Amino acid sequence: MEGVFKQCPNGHYYQGATCPYCKTGNNNAGASTTLKTEVFVGGSEVPTELGNGSDEAKTIAIGGPQTVVSGARDEGFAPPPNRTVFGDEIEIIETPNGTRIEKKSYRSSRKLVGWLVTYSHDAMGVDYKLYEGRNTMGHDVDCNITVNDPVMSGKHATILFQDNIYYLRDEFSTHGTSVNDEKMKPDSSMEIKDGDVILLGKTKFKFRASL
């Protein structure tokens, strides 16, 4: 009868022979409803009906550091410092002006060819990996090797590994680059050997070759 409503076991009010809100094979009232779940971080799960014609349930995480919609990860997600995510390392870089920046160090597809080791800023020592090809160094976070040294230029120097030879190049740095206490000319390059001591700004590195 027109104007008379029935209620299905899922709580929907409807007119007609079957509940139009319940999605089932035969669409009879009393069958289960397809739901999606919205997960609110720090709160509770709130079931919400999918519109008619939806094929499956899905989960949406809302309000947390990571948002997942139908399996797609929000690119704004920032893991905690010093966590490894699929081979990528997250590190906190403190710039010379005191700003702390998260830097993601992608697992390199280039061959490891050496290291720089320094004790200038940490008595326990810090090492930096060098890879085949170009390795830029300075206090800019865009460099391959970022060092919190205000005397370093943003892009201070480059180490290039090519044809089994290691080259060091000064990139017109303000305070210059020295190798074994000998200062390089601005925008000049030279071959370096295992055990050489390199000074960039106030940071002294020992160069170690792996090949």
Side-chain angles (χ1 to χ4, degrees):
M1 180 186 299
E2 187 69 28
V4 177
F5 287 86
K6 293 179 283 185
Q7 184 178 16
C8 76
N10 292 309
H12 304 124
Y13 289 94
Y14 66 97
Q15 292 178 309
T18 61
C19 175
Y21 305 109
C22 295
K23 179 176 173 56
T24 64
N26 54 21
N27 208 28
N28 290 329
S32 62
T33 303
T34 302
L35 298 177
K36 72 179 179 181
T37 300
E38 294 181 350
V39 181
F40 294 85
V41 176
S44 58
E45 293 186 354
V46 181
T48 305
E49 297 164 17
L50 286 173
N52 281 341
S54 298
D55 294 325
E56 58 184 351
K58 55 185 174 182
T59 299
I60 302 176
I62 299 176
Q66 182 175 359
T67 299
V68 179
V69 180
S70 300
R73 190 168 86 169
D74 181 1
E75 291 303 321
F77 169 59
N82 303 322
R83 255 184 77 184
T84 298
V85 182
F86 300 113
D88 299 337
E89 296 179 355
I90 302 297
E91 61 177 322
I92 296 295
I93 302 246
E94 185 172 342
T95 62
N97 63 9
T99 304
R100 292 170 64 83
I101 299 174
E102 286 191 5
K103 181 178 180 182
K104 187 171 184 178
S105 302
Y106 295 93
R107 187 173 184 177
S108 179
S109 59
R110 299 183 293 165
K111 186 175 183 177
L112 177 68
V113 297
W115 296 268
L116 292 175
V117 180
T118 180
Y119 295 90
S120 295
H121 306 287
D122 188 333
M124 299 300 290
V126 180
D127 70 305
Y128 300 93
K129 295 176 182 178
L130 298 172
Y131 297 93
E132 60 184 351
R134 292 166 54 86
N135 301 266
T136 56
M137 301 174 288
H139 70 234
D140 281 354
V141 294
D142 292 335
C143 291
N144 301 116
I145 296 174
T146 302
V147 183
N148 182 21
D149 181 345
V151 182
M152 271 194 194
S153 297
K155 184 180 179 182
H156 193 107
T158 300
I159 290 180
L160 171 70
F161 179 77
Q162 188 178 76
D163 298 328
N164 291 321
I165 300 175
Y166 301 86
Y167 299 96
L168 173 66
R169 179 182 179 85
D170 178 82
E171 301 290 354
F172 278 118
S173 61
T174 301
H175 297 283
T177 300
S178 297
V179 178
N180 299 328
D181 295 326
E182 293 188 13
K183 196 164 186 176
M184 298 175 61
K185 292 182 179 181
D187 195 33
S188 64
S189 61
M190 63 176 291
E191 184 178 346
I192 55 176
K193 302 289 188 180
D194 182 67
D196 282 348
V197 176
I198 302 170
L199 179 65
L200 308 179
K202 290 186 177 180
T203 306
K204 184 177 289 187
F205 299 95
K206 171 76 66 92
F207 167 62
R208 306 303 305 190
S210 65
L211 300 178

